[in-house]
Amino acid sequence: MRDRTRPTPKRLTRPARARGANSRRYLAWIVLMAALLPVLLAWQGLVEQRQLIADRQFDLLSQEIREAIDERLHDHEQILLGGAGLFDASETVSRQEWHTYVERLRLTENYPGILGVGYSQVVRPDQLAAHVAAVRAEGFPDYRLKPSGERALYTAIVYLEPFSGRNLAAFGYDMFSQETRRAAMQAAVDTDATTISGKVRLVQETHGKEQAGFLMYVPIYRPGLPLDTAAERWAALRGFVYSPYRVDDLMAGILGKRSLAIDFRIYDGDGTAADALMYDSAEQHAPEPNPSHTGLQRIQAYGRTWTLSLYSRPGFAAETDLAIIWLVLGLGIGISLALFAVTRLLLDRRAQALALAEEMTARRQESEERFRSVFLHLGQGVVIHGAEGRILDANPAAQDILGTTLEQMRELTSIDSLWQVVREDGRAFSSTDHPVIQALRLGAPVTGVVMGIRHARATPWRWVQVDAYPRRDASGAGVYQVYAVFTDITARRRAEFALKDQSQHTQAILDNVIDGIVTAGPDGTVTSFNPAAERIFGYTAAEVVGGNLSMLMPEPYRSGHDGYMSHHLRTGDERVIGVTRELKGRRQDGTVFPMELAVSRIERGGRPFFIGMIRDITERKQLERMKSELISTVSHELRTPVTSIRGALGLVVGRYAEALPEKVRAMLEMAERNSARLTLLIDDILDLEKIASGRMHFDLHPTDLAALARQAVEANEGYARQLQVQLSDHLELERAPVLADDNRMLQVFANLISNAVKYSPRDGEVQIGLRRHGQGFRALIRDQGPGIPESFKEHIFQRFAQADSSDTREKGGTGLGLSITKAILERHNGVIGYTSREGGGTTFYFDLPEWSGDHADALPPTNEDDPSLRSTS
């Protein structure tokens, strides 16, 4: 009989085995889940890390685009500031000087995308006609301001380099006439800062695909004027140095041949309205319909806001995709399945599997850390050096700066002979003072080192600022790597070299001009003395610089100089500023000589300084004196015999003309006419000589200019009738009191009326007018003649000047009448001028100040054009 209290082995073994099998089965599933969980977590982490890397890459690319635009705009501002400095340093800047300045910038090579660099001159309405005439006189006969019409202020583009192609369309354009440009120009003056305009259509858009445009302005001012307030700056405004830009061309120049993984649009203003769009990088290819990354950035550029709308291209996600993500997922699942399969048999191998998982995680972390370190500064060059200073790795920007590839520079040092490395002063870096070697040796960052680098294959010099950062090992005892970060400053250095070269060029000009140039501070202390001044005064620069200007002056100028300077600084009186005048100078040996002096004032560091242009006119004065003495002597010696000849000829012709043969009588009459003409010429020469020497007597007394005008009309009617010309009286005033010599004023009227009659056509009319003008009166003589040729206008008041100087000229005359007339009027404190148009007649006018018993010292009239005469000019 069996003992039922003892278990049956089979029955006990089966449940135990089942329980063990279940336990192993559950453990295998637990191991599988435990293995899959970190794999899935790691995969999720890598996915998130990929997204983070993509976000950082997008942000870095966005920042790179923005910084490239900011940097290029800053470089272009430096160009304009250099041009403004050229105007500030010179009283005038010629068209050739401007061309030379811009040509030295090499815009096409150094600043691709810039359309040009120009100068727009401020023209007041009363200066318009003179401005147009001045530019036409430079060789541009068709020059005019565009658009036409009357405005309160004009700004004419007179210089724009390169002066070819599209830029020719902008010559003479008034940018102040257009609202968007005007707003930017006004802001530049109001804030005294560089500004850029809103989106505009450039006048250079004459052909090809039209692009959006904008302009950058830097205001320049007339030297010596206060600029503290906006009103003062507007009053002193001279013009604007500016650059026009076609945005597509500018972006092509900024981005170059970069292969961008993102696209962007530029909008003018804070919004993204379609009409504000200035540039779209996706215009040449299909944009991403659903970009994975987008962003908005603002560029605050010189008083203007630009909005950058950035979005990823179709290939962006592929560039930032990490193959390790899928590798980790696949390996993790495979390993997990393998673990699941072998866990039942090899549970004791769990520790090895965990160790393998930890090793894989460590490798992944190391790979990610190195990736982040190498590409931390994608916009700058980054070179990683080992503990011995040898190059381990370098990003693409560093390879571009150093002029070689990573494969070629790996295991080399930064002081290898592959590169020339120099300091700012041209000295080479030694093996110990290079910033990378110093960072290795000191174990501390070395920053802000400027160096020039050039590859041995004669690539161009690149100037960089280097920051070297050491990395210590885990113990902190030693440096095992150095990160060298390169910032390319080549463009800035080129601009500095260009300014230095321009300064040396200007100094060379100052050292070689024939006129003496002396500069002095507000206390009269000489600060510079050029070689021409040394030749003129006999001093060396070392003997004069630091001394007082009065040492170059004789008495009474020497004693009064400090008083003159103090009066100018105290009151701002500029009677001697900007005016060329004659006075005496004193050489080192004590001799006194005549000289011409022109003084201008500039501001430097908030203090006034004075520039004196000096010319020794000793020889010219001697020649003038000799000429005057010769003319006076010859004229006096000729007058008596000519008078006798004229009298004898007149007696013969008067008494015996009828008894003489026809040919003899004609020859005697011709001789009498020419002797009369010679007598008039001698009288005119004597009059000029008397006026110049101060010996001509002027009986100045209160008289009526209107009465003299009527008397002159009556006196010249007979001459006008002989030439079949009518004189008409257009006097608007019954009385015009002036201080004058009656006979001399009648001489002035006679010269001007006879000239008008002589050049008028038969049956023509000469009008004699008189009206009030300013603080005095204006007399006008208008004819209907052929007008004054353009080539003769600048010589019309010179002695012996005649528009037709040939032997066969139709009109007679000595060519001295207008010169005498001008001299007489100047002795009356008056001025003379004219308006003329070829084929449209000529109007001569002269102005005299009104006389009254209360204030006889009236201000002299100005030589401005009479508005009523503009129709004849």
Side-chain angles (χ1 to χ4, degrees):
M1 190 171 175
R2 289 184 299 176
D3 187 358
R4 298 182 179 273
T5 61
R6 298 181 62 186
T8 303
K10 280 187 178 181
R11 289 182 179 177
L12 291 174
T13 301
R14 287 177 180 174
R17 289 178 179 176
R19 287 195 296 270
N22 289 335
S23 175
R24 288 193 298 273
R25 187 181 302 113
Y26 293 145
L27 183 59
W29 282 106
I30 292 173
V31 170
L32 178 61
M33 296 302 296
L36 285 176
L37 181 60
V39 170
L40 293 175
L41 291 175
W43 179 78
Q44 180 64 29
L46 287 174
V47 170
E48 293 176 357
Q49 184 66 24
R50 182 193 66 175
Q51 184 62 36
L52 179 61
I53 291 173
D55 292 343
R56 290 181 178 176
Q57 178 76 351
F58 183 83
D59 292 340
L60 285 173
L61 291 175
S62 301
Q63 187 67 23
E64 180 183 0
I65 291 171
R66 175 178 175 171
E67 289 176 354
I69 295 173
D70 281 336
E71 181 179 357
R72 181 56 62 87
L73 291 178
H74 175 73
D75 291 344
H76 289 178
E77 182 197 25
Q78 297 305 310
I79 294 173
L80 298 189
L81 291 176
L86 182 63
F87 277 90
D88 292 340
S90 178
E91 184 71 21
T92 59
V93 176
S94 69
R95 188 176 302 277
Q96 182 58 41
E97 290 173 335
W98 185 255
H99 170 77
T100 301
Y101 167 71
V102 178
E103 188 177 54
R104 283 180 176 272
L105 295 176
R106 298 181 179 177
L107 298 179
T108 304
E109 301 174 20
N110 301 329
Y111 306 95
I114 187 172
L115 195 54
V117 181
Y119 165 57
S120 177
Q121 179 181 344
V122 167
V123 181
R124 315 287 178 186
D126 57 345
Q127 301 170 342
L128 181 58
H131 165 76
V132 172
V135 176
R136 289 180 176 178
E138 290 181 40
F140 304 97
D142 298 326
Y143 173 81
R144 61 183 180 85
L145 248 66
K146 302 173 289 188
S148 59
E150 296 184 358
R151 293 182 286 278
L153 185 69
Y154 303 86
T155 59
I157 297 175
V158 293
Y159 300 163
L160 181 56
E161 296 291 340
F163 192 56
S164 61
R166 294 177 180 272
N167 283 341
L168 296 178
F171 185 45
Y173 178 63
D174 178 8
M175 293 184 286
F176 211 68
S177 65
Q178 197 272 328
E179 181 180 359
T180 304
R181 295 174 173 86
R182 181 170 62 250
M185 298 166 83
Q186 289 173 335
V189 179
D190 291 341
T191 61
D192 196 23
T194 304
T195 61
I196 63 175
S197 72
K199 175 184 177 183
V200 298
R201 181 186 185 276
L202 298 176
V203 296
Q204 285 94 330
E205 292 296 346
T206 57
H207 57 277
K209 176 190 173 184
E210 182 172 328
Q211 301 180 18
F214 71 95
L215 305 102
M216 179 179 287
Y217 298 97
V218 171
I220 56 175
Y221 308 97
R222 294 192 301 275
L225 297 178
L227 305 172
D228 296 330
T229 66
E232 291 175 341
R233 290 192 290 273
W234 278 106
L237 185 61
R238 184 177 182 181
F240 297 86
V241 177
Y242 85 104
S243 283
Y245 303 92
R246 303 176 81 217
V247 181
D248 290 6
D249 294 347
L250 178 63
M251 289 300 109
I254 293 175
L255 300 177
K257 297 182 178 179
R258 299 182 190 178
S259 178
L260 298 178
I262 65 174
D263 282 318
F264 65 99
R265 298 185 181 97
I266 301 177
Y267 295 88
D268 182 25
D270 290 322
T272 57
D275 59 348
L277 179 64
M278 298 176 66
Y279 175 74
D280 186 354
S281 64
E283 217 170 81
Q284 304 300 324
H285 59 269
E288 173 68 65
N290 297 303
S292 60
H293 291 75
T294 62
L296 282 178
Q297 291 199 22
R298 301 287 194 280
I299 296 180
Q300 302 295 333
Y302 303 103
R304 197 75 190 172
T305 300
W306 285 357
T307 299
L308 265 66
S309 174
L310 305 111
Y311 54 99
S312 58
R313 285 186 178 178
F316 180 82
E319 291 184 8
T320 57
D321 198 3
L322 298 178
I324 194 173
I325 296 175
W326 305 106
L327 178 62
V328 168
L329 181 61
L331 288 176
I333 293 174
I335 292 173
S336 298
L337 291 174
L339 286 173
F340 175 75
V342 301
T343 297
R344 301 177 196 182
L345 302 174
L346 303 170
L347 290 177
D348 58 331
R349 304 293 297 271
R350 183 184 177 199
Q352 296 180 8
L354 290 175
L356 179 61
E358 289 177 357
E359 183 181 356
M360 292 177 61
T361 303
R363 290 179 179 176
R364 176 180 61 82
Q365 292 176 347
E366 181 181 357
S367 176
E368 292 176 356
E369 181 179 356
R370 183 175 181 183
F371 177 84
R372 290 194 300 270
S373 298
V374 171
F375 294 98
L376 181 62
H377 299 284
L378 291 177
Q380 299 168 296
V382 181
V383 180
I384 302 177
H385 299 78
E388 297 179 353
R390 298 192 179 278
I391 296 173
L392 303 178
D393 205 348
N395 71 344
Q399 296 174 43
D400 179 61
I401 292 174
L402 297 176
T404 184
T405 64
L406 176 60
E407 289 72 18
Q408 293 171 330
M409 74 174 84
R410 198 188 298 274
E411 295 303 321
L412 300 178
T413 66
S414 294
I415 56 174
D416 192 272
S417 59
L418 183 64
W419 302 284
Q420 291 178 265
V421 185
V422 298
R423 300 176 182 272
E424 290 185 275
D425 58 6
R427 293 183 295 115
F429 279 91
S430 68
S431 58
T432 59
D433 58 7
H434 192 283
V436 172
I437 306 303
Q438 285 187 325
L440 280 170
R441 180 166 49 86
L442 302 175
V446 179
T447 61
V449 178
V450 175
M451 63 172 59
I453 299 179
R454 192 172 76 133
H455 194 273
R457 293 196 302 264
T459 56
W461 281 99
R462 299 288 289 271
W463 286 94
V464 295
Q465 179 175 303
V466 182
D467 301 323
Y469 301 97
R471 293 194 68 190
R472 295 184 177 273
D473 54 27
S475 66
V479 175
Y480 76 96
Q481 282 185 346
V482 172
Y483 284 14
V485 182
F486 294 80
T487 302
D488 193 339
I489 59 172
T490 304
R492 188 183 76 191
R493 293 285 296 180
R494 286 174 178 171
E496 292 172 355
F497 290 151
L499 288 175
K500 182 178 179 181
D501 183 67
Q502 181 62 37
S503 176
Q504 293 173 346
H505 176 70
T506 303
Q507 187 61 46
I509 293 174
L510 294 177
D511 290 343
N512 290 280
V513 295
I514 62 173
D515 291 338
I517 302 177
V518 183
T519 63
D523 58 353
T525 301
V526 178
T527 57
S528 69
F529 200 71
N530 77 333
E534 293 180 337
R535 293 192 297 272
I536 293 173
F537 289 97
Y539 289 100
T540 65
E543 293 172 322
V544 179
V545 173
N548 193 278
L549 274 174
S550 59
M551 67 187 295
L552 307 176
M553 306 173 184
E555 295 294 348
Y557 306 109
R558 180 194 294 263
S559 301
H561 172 260
D562 290 340
Y564 300 151
M565 187 74 72
S566 175
H567 174 74
H568 167 71
L569 294 174
R570 186 177 64 256
T571 65
D573 185 359
E574 296 187 350
R575 284 179 294 178
V576 299
I577 303 298
V579 178
T580 301
R581 56 194 185 117
E582 295 183 5
L583 65 162
K584 302 292 185 180
R586 182 180 181 274
R587 295 190 174 93
Q588 185 184 31
D589 59 7
T591 58
V592 178
F593 66 96
M595 67 180 188
E596 281 185 348
L597 172 65
V599 180
S600 58
R601 170 175 168 162
I602 62 173
E603 296 288 333
R604 191 173 65 189
R607 300 180 62 210
F609 281 81
F610 300 90
I611 303 174
M613 302 287 292
I614 300 164
R615 176 170 295 177
D616 187 345
I617 58 173
T618 302
E619 293 184 3
R620 191 177 78 190
K621 286 295 184 181
Q622 292 174 348
L623 290 174
E624 289 177 355
R625 184 170 62 253
M626 293 171 60
K627 181 177 68 174
S628 297
E629 291 174 354
L630 175 62
I631 291 174
S632 177
T633 300
V634 172
S635 300
H636 281 91
E637 293 299 325
L638 287 176
R639 188 171 191 178
T640 299
V642 168
T643 302
S644 300
I645 293 170
R646 181 184 178 188
L649 289 171
L651 182 62
V652 171
V653 171
R655 290 188 179 183
Y656 307 107
E658 295 181 357
L660 295 172
E662 182 66 25
K663 290 186 178 180
V664 174
R665 184 170 64 253
M667 293 176 65
L668 288 174
E669 289 174 350
M670 181 186 301
E672 182 186 19
R673 287 194 302 270
N674 284 320
S675 63
R677 180 181 175 191
L678 186 57
T679 301
L680 291 175
L681 175 60
I682 294 171
D683 289 342
D684 285 347
I685 292 174
L686 290 175
D687 282 347
L688 279 176
E689 191 274 332
K690 288 178 181 178
I691 294 173
S693 62
R695 292 186 294 104
M696 176 174 279
H697 175 69
F698 285 85
D699 180 17
L700 300 178
H701 62 275
T703 188
D704 184 6
L705 186 61
L708 292 176
R710 286 189 287 269
Q711 185 177 347
V713 172
E714 294 175 1
N716 288 275
E717 280 183 348
Y719 178 67
R721 282 196 298 271
Q722 290 179 9
L723 298 182
Q724 299 181 21
V725 176
Q726 179 182 355
L727 297 184
S728 60
D729 181 342
H730 290 264
L731 306 181
E732 299 178 6
L733 303 173
E734 290 295 326
R735 187 172 179 275
V738 295
L739 193 68
D741 183 319
D742 292 356
N743 291 329
R744 297 303 176 190
M745 290 312 301
L746 288 174
Q747 185 178 356
V748 168
F749 273 114
N751 281 342
L752 296 178
I753 293 174
S754 62
N755 271 355
V757 170
K758 181 168 56 177
Y759 288 100
S760 292
R762 287 194 174 186
D763 299 324
E765 180 185 19
V766 174
Q767 300 176 359
I768 295 89
L770 181 65
R771 62 175 66 136
R772 179 169 290 280
H773 180 73
Q775 299 182 22
F777 306 101
R778 172 166 286 185
L780 307 98
I781 296 88
R782 177 180 292 140
D783 63 43
Q784 298 173 343
I788 300 172
E790 190 68 31
S791 59
F792 181 67
K793 288 183 177 180
E794 62 182 37
H795 309 291
I796 193 167
F797 291 110
Q798 296 178 2
R799 297 181 181 184
F800 301 103
Q802 292 180 321
D804 181 6
S805 57
S806 64
D807 294 336
T808 60
R809 61 180 183 267
E810 297 179 2
K811 311 297 181 182
T814 65
L816 294 173
L818 289 177
S819 179
I820 294 172
T821 299
K822 183 175 182 291
I824 292 174
L825 287 169
E826 287 174 349
R827 291 294 298 272
H828 284 75
N829 202 22
V831 293
I832 185 172
Y834 69 92
T835 59
S836 181
R837 182 178 60 197
E838 288 195 52
T842 301
T843 299
F844 277 91
Y845 60 86
F846 64 86
D847 300 337
L848 291 177
E850 183 178 10
W851 179 88
S852 68
D854 296 333
H855 52 285
D857 296 331
L859 293 175
T862 62
N863 200 14
E864 61 186 1
D865 286 346
D866 191 319
S868 64
L869 301 175
R870 290 177 183 167
S871 61
T872 64
S873 60

